[in-house]
Amino acid sequence: MAPTLSTISNSNTWDVKNFVVNEGHGVKGLADMGIQILPKQYIQPLEERITSSDVVSEEQSIPVIDLSNWKDPKVDNMICHAAEKWGFFQIVNHGIPIKVFENVKDATHRFFALPAEEKRKYSKDYSCTNNVRFGTSFTPQAEKALEWKDYLSLFYVSDEEASALWPPACRDEALQFMKKTELVIKKLMETLIKGLNVKEVDEDKESLLMGSKRINLNYYPKCPNPELTVGVGRHSDVSTLTILLQDSIGGLYVKKLGSDTWLSVPPIDGALVINIGDALQILSNGRYKSIEHRVIANGGNNRVSVPIFVNPKPNDVIGPLQQVLESGEKPLYKQVLYSDYVKHFFRKAHDGKDTVDFAKI
Ligand SMILES: COc1cc(/C=C/C(=O)SCCNC(=O)CCNC(=O)[C@H](O)C(C)(C)COP(=O)(O)OP(=O)(O)OC[C@H]2O[C@@H](n3cnc4c(N)ncnc43)[C@H](O)[C@@H]2OP(=O)(O)O)ccc1O
Ligand SMILES: O=C(O)CCC(=O)C(=O)O
Ligand SMILES: [Fe+2]
């Protein structure tokens, strides 16, 4: 029987988690019912909520790098400097048509507007492939409090597989976004690798740095008590590099390196947010930083974001690159199978930067 607004308000007697997670309604299903009070399953401990005293100032934020004159070596220096000191930056004038961004954001809204029965076909229990997964929160089975977010996660294998298995509501736009960002991703990676004294990116290196890609479509519905919960908890990405498209709503916060303060990442029309992931932190022996970030919930608007996670291949072994250690630097990380690293990340709740301990010597 469909729950009524009054049973929903009393989340002691109604199984919210079953409705949202197992029945595949997602948190959007909950928000669409018009709940006025946040169910207790979403109330985060105080230390996980972001307050104004945690934020430095709205004026200070991550670097914005203009790529219109990429031939200028200063641009390469800015990219490597941002990767070392901030772990996060935005790029503008990158040459990717804005229409591609608009299309994939519209497609994200279109997918999440589908009825629960349609979206559920792509959930872990029903999806005919591990490469397509609709879900909610992060790891509901391991989390003490749920996160206010639904997602569709698409692991790219080939155009043919995407055409056959990705949801028609968003597959062409997601694929187009991946294709149109390819060149920028390649150039960013070459710049970063040159900055590590690696002269040549051969086939093995290319696989390690960008052998696989995953695109997520994130949906954060309007929330009745945004101050009590989070959109995404504190984490760093397990990718080498993440390319993130956010809409105009805002809500992404990034930890300032070496401090306990958080900076908001303001939406800039036409910009992409770039961040270093754990795999590149490990490969660079800690020179490039994968930085903790999180997303707040929003009381006034629905929000979407679309990250492309650029990764090693699942079967690659990652550890500090030999070229980085040539100068006599001591390795900080051991060699680990990348899929073991990712499985470790996905089997626990978000816990800030703790995932990287898995690879520490
Ligand atoms: C969702 O909210 C998020 C997501 C993120 C993501 C940040 C990233 O950086 S994603 C980039 C990750 N890298 C890759 O995907 C490339 C390499 N891929 C692999 O190594 C494998 O494909 C695999 C991801 C390890 C899955 O391999 P498989 O053999 O299929 O293993 P399983 O046993 O099925 O899965 C292991 C474990 O992980 C859970 N899981 C798998 N895929 C996802 C997914 N896309 N989203 C969420 N969880 C996933 C799966 O349920 C399994 O857990 P069990 O407990 O059921 O064993 C950042 C922030 C966010 O909020
Ligand atoms: O929605 C955002 O702005 C960031 C999402 C994020 O950090 C992630 O999906 O890994
Ligand atoms: Fe992230």
Side-chain angles (χ1 to χ4, degrees), residues 46-102:
L46 269 174
E47 63 276 15
E48 295 303 332
R49 303 180 207 158
I50 200 159
T51 60
S52 51
S53 63
D54 299 325
V55 179
V56 173
S57 106
E58 293 297 326
E59 275 100 67
Q60 211 187 107
S61 191
I62 58 171
V64 177
I65 303 181
D66 185 339
L67 297 184
S68 49
N69 192 12
W70 211 336
K71 291 206 179 75
D72 183 346
K74 277 197 205 115
V75 175
D76 283 349
N77 290 342
M78 279 192 267
I79 292 169
C80 294
H81 182 265
E84 273 187 49
K85 304 292 179 206
W86 296 87
F88 258 88
F89 53 98
Q90 304 212 55
I91 54 171
V92 293
N93 297 320
H94 38 62
I96 304 160
I98 303 290
K99 187 77 188 126
V100 175
F101 296 176
E102 294 311 320

Short mmCIF file of all heavy atoms in Angstrom, two decimals, residues 46-102:
data_model
loop_
_atom_site.label_atom_id
_atom_site.label_comp_id
_atom_site.label_asym_id
_atom_site.label_seq_id
_atom_site.Cartn_x
_atom_site.Cartn_y
_atom_site.Cartn_z
N LEU A 46 26.19 15.63 14.21
CA LEU A 46 26.56 17.06 14.14
C LEU A 46 27.87 17.29 13.39
O LEU A 46 27.98 18.22 12.58
CB LEU A 46 26.72 17.60 15.56
CG LEU A 46 25.47 18.22 16.18
CD1 LEU A 46 25.74 18.58 17.63
CD2 LEU A 46 25.05 19.46 15.38
N GLU A 47 28.86 16.42 13.65
CA GLU A 47 30.19 16.66 13.07
C GLU A 47 30.21 16.47 11.55
O GLU A 47 31.16 16.89 10.88
CB GLU A 47 31.26 15.80 13.76
CG GLU A 47 31.12 14.28 13.64
CD GLU A 47 30.16 13.67 14.68
OE1 GLU A 47 29.39 14.41 15.31
OE2 GLU A 47 30.18 12.42 14.84
N GLU A 48 29.18 15.85 10.99
CA GLU A 48 29.15 15.67 9.53
C GLU A 48 28.37 16.78 8.81
O GLU A 48 28.36 16.84 7.59
CB GLU A 48 28.55 14.31 9.16
CG GLU A 48 29.37 13.12 9.62
CD GLU A 48 30.81 13.14 9.08
OE1 GLU A 48 31.05 13.70 8.00
OE2 GLU A 48 31.69 12.58 9.78
N ARG A 49 27.71 17.65 9.59
CA ARG A 49 26.95 18.72 8.94
C ARG A 49 27.87 19.92 8.75
O ARG A 49 28.75 20.15 9.56
CB ARG A 49 25.76 19.15 9.81
CG ARG A 49 24.84 18.00 10.13
CD ARG A 49 23.70 18.48 10.99
NE ARG A 49 23.17 17.42 11.83
CZ ARG A 49 22.48 17.61 12.95
NH1 ARG A 49 22.21 18.85 13.36
NH2 ARG A 49 22.04 16.59 13.65
N ILE A 50 27.64 20.67 7.71
CA ILE A 50 28.50 21.83 7.46
C ILE A 50 27.83 23.08 8.02
O ILE A 50 26.63 23.29 7.82
CB ILE A 50 28.86 21.94 5.95
CG1 ILE A 50 30.11 22.79 5.75
CG2 ILE A 50 27.73 22.45 5.12
CD1 ILE A 50 30.80 22.52 4.41
N THR A 51 28.59 23.85 8.79
CA THR A 51 28.02 25.08 9.36
C THR A 51 28.83 26.27 8.86
O THR A 51 29.96 26.09 8.38
CB THR A 51 28.08 25.07 10.90
OG1 THR A 51 29.46 24.95 11.27
CG2 THR A 51 27.30 23.91 11.50
N SER A 52 28.28 27.47 9.02
CA SER A 52 28.97 28.65 8.46
C SER A 52 30.34 28.86 9.12
O SER A 52 31.26 29.37 8.49
CB SER A 52 28.11 29.89 8.58
OG SER A 52 27.67 30.00 9.90
N SER A 53 30.53 28.37 10.34
CA SER A 53 31.84 28.57 10.98
C SER A 53 32.91 27.67 10.37
O SER A 53 34.11 27.90 10.56
CB SER A 53 31.74 28.32 12.49
OG SER A 53 31.39 26.97 12.70
N ASP A 54 32.50 26.63 9.62
CA ASP A 54 33.49 25.76 8.95
C ASP A 54 34.00 26.39 7.65
O ASP A 54 34.97 25.93 7.07
CB ASP A 54 32.85 24.42 8.53
CG ASP A 54 32.33 23.62 9.71
OD1 ASP A 54 32.95 23.70 10.77
OD2 ASP A 54 31.31 22.93 9.54
N VAL A 55 33.28 27.38 7.13
CA VAL A 55 33.56 27.91 5.80
C VAL A 55 34.41 29.16 5.92
O VAL A 55 34.12 30.03 6.73
CB VAL A 55 32.24 28.22 5.06
CG1 VAL A 55 32.50 28.80 3.69
CG2 VAL A 55 31.38 26.96 4.96
N VAL A 56 35.49 29.24 5.13
CA VAL A 56 36.42 30.38 5.24
C VAL A 56 35.70 31.68 4.89
O VAL A 56 35.53 32.55 5.71
CB VAL A 56 37.64 30.20 4.29
CG1 VAL A 56 38.49 31.45 4.27
CG2 VAL A 56 38.46 29.02 4.71
N SER A 57 35.32 31.81 3.65
CA SER A 57 34.56 32.98 3.21
C SER A 57 34.11 32.67 1.80
O SER A 57 34.77 31.92 1.09
CB SER A 57 35.42 34.24 3.25
OG SER A 57 35.78 34.62 1.94
N GLU A 58 33.00 33.21 1.43
CA GLU A 58 32.46 32.89 0.11
C GLU A 58 33.36 33.45 -1.00
O GLU A 58 33.30 33.03 -2.13
CB GLU A 58 31.02 33.40 -0.03
CG GLU A 58 30.02 32.69 0.89
CD GLU A 58 29.85 31.18 0.62
OE1 GLU A 58 29.93 30.76 -0.54
OE2 GLU A 58 29.63 30.44 1.60
N GLU A 59 34.22 34.44 -0.64
CA GLU A 59 35.08 35.05 -1.68
C GLU A 59 36.28 34.16 -2.04
O GLU A 59 36.76 34.19 -3.14
CB GLU A 59 35.62 36.41 -1.23
CG GLU A 59 34.68 37.57 -1.48
CD GLU A 59 33.94 37.95 -0.21
OE1 GLU A 59 34.61 38.43 0.72
OE2 GLU A 59 32.72 37.75 -0.14
N GLN A 60 36.77 33.41 -1.04
CA GLN A 60 37.96 32.60 -1.30
C GLN A 60 37.56 31.25 -1.87
O GLN A 60 36.69 30.59 -1.31
CB GLN A 60 38.72 32.41 0.01
CG GLN A 60 40.21 32.29 -0.22
CD GLN A 60 40.91 31.92 1.07
OE1 GLN A 60 41.35 30.80 1.22
NE2 GLN A 60 40.99 32.85 1.99
N SER A 61 38.17 30.85 -2.98
CA SER A 61 37.85 29.52 -3.51
C SER A 61 39.02 28.93 -4.29
O SER A 61 40.12 29.49 -4.29
CB SER A 61 36.58 29.56 -4.35
OG SER A 61 36.17 28.23 -4.62
N ILE A 62 38.77 27.80 -4.94
CA ILE A 62 39.80 27.09 -5.69
C ILE A 62 40.18 27.90 -6.95
O ILE A 62 39.39 28.72 -7.42
CB ILE A 62 39.30 25.69 -6.07
CG1 ILE A 62 38.00 25.77 -6.90
CG2 ILE A 62 39.05 24.86 -4.82
CD1 ILE A 62 37.54 24.44 -7.50
N PRO A 63 41.38 27.65 -7.52
CA PRO A 63 41.79 28.40 -8.71
C PRO A 63 40.86 28.17 -9.91
O PRO A 63 40.28 27.09 -10.04
CB PRO A 63 43.18 27.85 -9.04
CG PRO A 63 43.65 27.14 -7.82
CD PRO A 63 42.43 26.71 -7.05
N VAL A 64 40.75 29.22 -10.73
CA VAL A 64 40.02 29.10 -12.01
C VAL A 64 41.07 29.28 -13.10
O VAL A 64 41.76 30.31 -13.14
CB VAL A 64 38.93 30.19 -12.13
CG1 VAL A 64 38.24 30.10 -13.48
CG2 VAL A 64 37.91 30.05 -10.99
N ILE A 65 41.24 28.28 -13.95
CA ILE A 65 42.31 28.31 -14.96
C ILE A 65 41.71 28.47 -16.36
O ILE A 65 40.84 27.70 -16.77
CB ILE A 65 43.20 27.04 -14.88
CG1 ILE A 65 43.78 26.93 -13.45
CG2 ILE A 65 44.32 27.09 -15.92
CD1 ILE A 65 44.68 25.74 -13.21
N ASP A 66 42.19 29.51 -17.06
CA ASP A 66 41.72 29.82 -18.40
C ASP A 66 42.58 29.03 -19.40
O ASP A 66 43.80 29.22 -19.46
CB ASP A 66 41.89 31.34 -18.62
CG ASP A 66 41.33 31.80 -19.95
OD1 ASP A 66 41.18 30.95 -20.86
OD2 ASP A 66 41.05 33.00 -20.09
N LEU A 67 41.94 28.16 -20.17
CA LEU A 67 42.70 27.30 -21.08
C LEU A 67 42.78 27.87 -22.50
O LEU A 67 43.26 27.18 -23.41
CB LEU A 67 42.06 25.90 -21.13
CG LEU A 67 42.05 25.09 -19.83
CD1 LEU A 67 41.47 23.71 -20.07
CD2 LEU A 67 43.46 24.98 -19.24
N SER A 68 42.34 29.13 -22.70
CA SER A 68 42.29 29.63 -24.08
C SER A 68 43.68 29.71 -24.70
O SER A 68 43.81 29.62 -25.92
CB SER A 68 41.56 30.97 -24.17
OG SER A 68 42.05 31.85 -23.22
N ASN A 69 44.72 29.86 -23.89
CA ASN A 69 46.07 29.91 -24.44
C ASN A 69 46.94 28.79 -23.86
O ASN A 69 47.93 29.04 -23.17
CB ASN A 69 46.67 31.29 -24.13
CG ASN A 69 47.92 31.53 -24.91
OD1 ASN A 69 48.25 30.78 -25.84
ND2 ASN A 69 48.68 32.55 -24.53
N TRP A 70 46.54 27.56 -24.13
CA TRP A 70 47.20 26.42 -23.50
C TRP A 70 48.65 26.23 -23.98
O TRP A 70 49.46 25.53 -23.38
CB TRP A 70 46.38 25.13 -23.74
CG TRP A 70 46.51 24.14 -22.61
CD1 TRP A 70 47.55 24.06 -21.73
CD2 TRP A 70 45.61 23.11 -22.24
NE1 TRP A 70 47.34 23.03 -20.83
CE2 TRP A 70 46.15 22.42 -21.12
CE3 TRP A 70 44.37 22.67 -22.75
CZ2 TRP A 70 45.52 21.35 -20.50
CZ3 TRP A 70 43.75 21.59 -22.13
CH2 TRP A 70 44.32 20.94 -21.01
N LYS A 71 48.99 26.90 -25.13
CA LYS A 71 50.38 26.77 -25.64
C LYS A 71 51.35 27.46 -24.69
O LYS A 71 52.53 27.15 -24.65
CB LYS A 71 50.47 27.39 -27.03
CG LYS A 71 49.72 26.58 -28.07
CD LYS A 71 50.30 26.77 -29.46
CE LYS A 71 49.56 25.93 -30.46
NZ LYS A 71 48.21 26.50 -30.80
N ASP A 72 50.83 28.41 -23.92
CA ASP A 72 51.68 29.14 -22.97
C ASP A 72 52.06 28.21 -21.81
O ASP A 72 51.18 27.69 -21.11
CB ASP A 72 50.87 30.34 -22.45
CG ASP A 72 51.67 31.23 -21.51
OD1 ASP A 72 52.75 30.78 -21.05
OD2 ASP A 72 51.20 32.35 -21.23
N PRO A 73 53.38 27.98 -21.59
CA PRO A 73 53.80 27.06 -20.51
C PRO A 73 53.28 27.47 -19.14
O PRO A 73 53.19 26.64 -18.22
CB PRO A 73 55.33 27.14 -20.54
CG PRO A 73 55.71 27.93 -21.73
CD PRO A 73 54.49 28.57 -22.33
N LYS A 74 52.91 28.76 -19.00
CA LYS A 74 52.36 29.21 -17.71
C LYS A 74 51.09 28.45 -17.35
O LYS A 74 50.78 28.22 -16.19
CB LYS A 74 52.02 30.71 -17.79
CG LYS A 74 53.22 31.61 -17.56
CD LYS A 74 52.74 33.02 -17.25
CE LYS A 74 53.80 34.04 -17.61
NZ LYS A 74 53.42 34.95 -18.68
N VAL A 75 50.32 28.07 -18.38
CA VAL A 75 49.06 27.35 -18.13
C VAL A 75 49.38 25.97 -17.54
O VAL A 75 48.76 25.54 -16.55
CB VAL A 75 48.21 27.25 -19.43
CG1 VAL A 75 46.97 26.41 -19.20
CG2 VAL A 75 47.84 28.64 -19.91
N ASP A 76 50.38 25.30 -18.12
CA ASP A 76 50.80 23.99 -17.58
C ASP A 76 51.24 24.13 -16.12
O ASP A 76 50.89 23.31 -15.27
CB ASP A 76 51.98 23.43 -18.39
CG ASP A 76 51.52 22.84 -19.72
OD1 ASP A 76 50.30 22.70 -19.89
OD2 ASP A 76 52.37 22.54 -20.56
N ASN A 77 52.00 25.19 -15.85
CA ASN A 77 52.47 25.41 -14.47
C ASN A 77 51.29 25.62 -13.52
O ASN A 77 51.30 25.11 -12.39
CB ASN A 77 53.39 26.64 -14.38
CG ASN A 77 54.72 26.37 -15.06
OD1 ASN A 77 55.06 25.21 -15.29
ND2 ASN A 77 55.44 27.41 -15.43
N MET A 78 50.30 26.38 -13.99
CA MET A 78 49.12 26.65 -13.14
C MET A 78 48.39 25.35 -12.81
O MET A 78 47.94 25.13 -11.68
CB MET A 78 48.17 27.63 -13.82
CG MET A 78 48.60 29.08 -13.67
SD MET A 78 47.29 30.16 -14.20
CE MET A 78 47.72 30.41 -15.88
N ILE A 79 48.28 24.47 -13.82
CA ILE A 79 47.57 23.19 -13.62
C ILE A 79 48.32 22.34 -12.59
O ILE A 79 47.71 21.82 -11.64
CB ILE A 79 47.41 22.45 -14.98
CG1 ILE A 79 46.44 23.23 -15.88
CG2 ILE A 79 46.95 21.01 -14.77
CD1 ILE A 79 46.39 22.76 -17.33
N CYS A 80 49.63 22.20 -12.76
CA CYS A 80 50.41 21.35 -11.84
C CYS A 80 50.43 21.96 -10.44
O CYS A 80 50.33 21.23 -9.44
CB CYS A 80 51.83 21.16 -12.37
SG CYS A 80 51.86 20.22 -13.91
N HIS A 81 50.52 23.28 -10.37
CA HIS A 81 50.52 23.95 -9.06
C HIS A 81 49.18 23.73 -8.36
O HIS A 81 49.13 23.40 -7.16
CB HIS A 81 50.80 25.45 -9.27
CG HIS A 81 50.87 26.22 -7.99
ND1 HIS A 81 49.79 26.89 -7.46
CD2 HIS A 81 51.88 26.38 -7.11
CE1 HIS A 81 50.14 27.43 -6.31
NE2 HIS A 81 51.42 27.16 -6.07
N ALA A 82 48.08 23.86 -9.10
CA ALA A 82 46.75 23.66 -8.51
C ALA A 82 46.60 22.21 -8.03
O ALA A 82 46.03 21.95 -6.96
CB ALA A 82 45.66 24.00 -9.52
N ALA A 83 47.14 21.26 -8.79
CA ALA A 83 47.04 19.84 -8.41
C ALA A 83 47.82 19.55 -7.12
O ALA A 83 47.44 18.71 -6.33
CB ALA A 83 47.55 18.96 -9.55
N GLU A 84 48.92 20.28 -6.92
CA GLU A 84 49.75 20.08 -5.72
C GLU A 84 49.19 20.78 -4.50
O GLU A 84 49.22 20.26 -3.39
CB GLU A 84 51.15 20.67 -5.95
CG GLU A 84 52.10 19.73 -6.61
CD GLU A 84 53.51 20.31 -6.66
OE1 GLU A 84 54.01 20.78 -5.62
OE2 GLU A 84 54.09 20.31 -7.76
N LYS A 85 48.73 22.01 -4.70
CA LYS A 85 48.37 22.85 -3.55
C LYS A 85 46.88 22.88 -3.22
O LYS A 85 46.49 23.26 -2.12
CB LYS A 85 48.84 24.31 -3.78
CG LYS A 85 50.32 24.44 -4.07
CD LYS A 85 51.14 24.08 -2.85
CE LYS A 85 52.62 24.18 -3.14
NZ LYS A 85 53.45 23.33 -2.30
N TRP A 86 46.05 22.56 -4.20
CA TRP A 86 44.60 22.64 -3.98
C TRP A 86 43.89 21.31 -4.23
O TRP A 86 42.86 21.04 -3.62
CB TRP A 86 43.97 23.70 -4.91
CG TRP A 86 44.44 25.09 -4.64
CD1 TRP A 86 45.54 25.70 -5.16
CD2 TRP A 86 43.84 26.04 -3.76
NE1 TRP A 86 45.66 26.97 -4.66
CE2 TRP A 86 44.62 27.22 -3.81
CE3 TRP A 86 42.71 26.04 -2.95
CZ2 TRP A 86 44.32 28.36 -3.07
CZ3 TRP A 86 42.39 27.17 -2.22
CH2 TRP A 86 43.19 28.32 -2.27
N GLY A 87 44.42 20.51 -5.16
CA GLY A 87 43.78 19.25 -5.55
C GLY A 87 42.50 19.45 -6.35
O GLY A 87 41.92 18.49 -6.86
N PHE A 88 42.07 20.68 -6.48
CA PHE A 88 40.82 21.04 -7.16
C PHE A 88 41.04 22.33 -7.94
O PHE A 88 41.70 23.24 -7.44
CB PHE A 88 39.73 21.35 -6.11
CG PHE A 88 38.73 20.27 -5.88
CD1 PHE A 88 38.97 19.27 -4.94
CD2 PHE A 88 37.53 20.24 -6.56
CE1 PHE A 88 38.03 18.27 -4.69
CE2 PHE A 88 36.59 19.25 -6.33
CZ PHE A 88 36.83 18.26 -5.39
N PHE A 89 40.47 22.45 -9.12
CA PHE A 89 40.44 23.73 -9.84
C PHE A 89 39.29 23.71 -10.84
O PHE A 89 38.71 22.65 -11.09
CB PHE A 89 41.79 24.03 -10.52
CG PHE A 89 42.33 22.94 -11.42
CD1 PHE A 89 42.14 22.98 -12.81
CD2 PHE A 89 43.03 21.85 -10.90
CE1 PHE A 89 42.65 21.98 -13.63
CE2 PHE A 89 43.55 20.85 -11.72
CZ PHE A 89 43.35 20.91 -13.08
N GLN A 90 38.96 24.90 -11.34
CA GLN A 90 37.93 24.95 -12.39
C GLN A 90 38.63 25.34 -13.69
O GLN A 90 39.63 26.06 -13.66
CB GLN A 90 36.86 26.00 -12.07
CG GLN A 90 36.19 25.79 -10.72
CD GLN A 90 34.72 26.24 -10.71
OE1 GLN A 90 33.91 25.80 -11.53
NE2 GLN A 90 34.36 27.08 -9.76
N ILE A 91 38.12 24.87 -14.82
CA ILE A 91 38.66 25.29 -16.12
C ILE A 91 37.57 26.03 -16.92
O ILE A 91 36.41 25.64 -16.90
CB ILE A 91 39.24 24.12 -16.95
CG1 ILE A 91 38.22 22.97 -17.14
CG2 ILE A 91 40.52 23.58 -16.29
CD1 ILE A 91 38.67 21.90 -18.12
N VAL A 92 38.02 27.11 -17.58
CA VAL A 92 37.11 27.86 -18.46
C VAL A 92 37.80 28.00 -19.83
O VAL A 92 39.01 27.81 -19.94
CB VAL A 92 36.77 29.26 -17.88
CG1 VAL A 92 35.92 29.14 -16.62
CG2 VAL A 92 38.03 30.08 -17.60
N ASN A 93 37.03 28.34 -20.85
CA ASN A 93 37.56 28.46 -22.23
C ASN A 93 38.31 27.20 -22.67
O ASN A 93 39.40 27.26 -23.21
CB ASN A 93 38.48 29.70 -22.35
CG ASN A 93 37.70 30.96 -22.09
OD1 ASN A 93 36.54 31.10 -22.51
ND2 ASN A 93 38.31 31.88 -21.36
N HIS A 94 37.67 26.07 -22.44
CA HIS A 94 38.27 24.77 -22.74
C HIS A 94 37.88 24.27 -24.12
O HIS A 94 38.36 23.24 -24.58
CB HIS A 94 37.81 23.74 -21.69
CG HIS A 94 36.38 23.94 -21.30
ND1 HIS A 94 35.35 23.82 -22.22
CD2 HIS A 94 35.81 24.31 -20.13
CE1 HIS A 94 34.21 24.10 -21.62
NE2 HIS A 94 34.45 24.42 -20.34
N GLY A 95 36.96 24.96 -24.79
CA GLY A 95 36.59 24.58 -26.16
C GLY A 95 35.45 23.58 -26.27
O GLY A 95 35.04 23.23 -27.37
N ILE A 96 34.91 23.11 -25.14
CA ILE A 96 33.79 22.15 -25.23
C ILE A 96 32.49 22.95 -25.34
O ILE A 96 32.24 23.84 -24.51
CB ILE A 96 33.76 21.22 -23.98
CG1 ILE A 96 35.10 20.51 -23.82
CG2 ILE A 96 32.61 20.21 -24.07
CD1 ILE A 96 35.35 19.97 -22.43
N PRO A 97 31.66 22.65 -26.35
CA PRO A 97 30.44 23.45 -26.54
C PRO A 97 29.49 23.35 -25.32
O PRO A 97 29.23 22.27 -24.80
CB PRO A 97 29.77 22.83 -27.77
CG PRO A 97 30.82 21.98 -28.42
CD PRO A 97 31.81 21.60 -27.37
N ILE A 98 28.97 24.51 -24.92
CA ILE A 98 28.06 24.60 -23.76
C ILE A 98 26.83 23.71 -23.97
O ILE A 98 26.25 23.18 -23.02
CB ILE A 98 27.59 26.07 -23.57
CG1 ILE A 98 28.77 27.01 -23.39
CG2 ILE A 98 26.60 26.21 -22.42
CD1 ILE A 98 29.50 26.84 -22.10
N LYS A 99 26.43 23.57 -25.23
CA LYS A 99 25.23 22.78 -25.55
C LYS A 99 25.37 21.33 -25.02
O LYS A 99 24.38 20.72 -24.57
CB LYS A 99 25.06 22.77 -27.08
CG LYS A 99 23.79 22.16 -27.58
CD LYS A 99 22.60 23.10 -27.41
CE LYS A 99 21.30 22.42 -27.74
NZ LYS A 99 20.29 22.49 -26.70
N VAL A 100 26.60 20.82 -25.08
CA VAL A 100 26.86 19.45 -24.59
C VAL A 100 26.54 19.38 -23.09
O VAL A 100 25.98 18.40 -22.60
CB VAL A 100 28.34 19.09 -24.86
CG1 VAL A 100 28.70 17.73 -24.27
CG2 VAL A 100 28.64 19.12 -26.36
N PHE A 101 26.89 20.45 -22.37
CA PHE A 101 26.63 20.50 -20.92
C PHE A 101 25.13 20.58 -20.66
O PHE A 101 24.59 19.89 -19.80
CB PHE A 101 27.31 21.72 -20.27
CG PHE A 101 28.82 21.73 -20.33
CD1 PHE A 101 29.54 22.82 -19.85
CD2 PHE A 101 29.52 20.66 -20.85
CE1 PHE A 101 30.91 22.84 -19.88
CE2 PHE A 101 30.91 20.67 -20.90
CZ PHE A 101 31.60 21.77 -20.42
N GLU A 102 24.48 21.47 -21.42
CA GLU A 102 23.02 21.65 -21.23
C GLU A 102 22.31 20.33 -21.51
O GLU A 102 21.40 19.93 -20.78
CB GLU A 102 22.48 22.74 -22.17
CG GLU A 102 23.00 24.15 -21.87
CD GLU A 102 22.89 24.52 -20.40
OE1 GLU A 102 21.88 24.18 -19.77
OE2 GLU A 102 23.87 25.11 -19.87
#
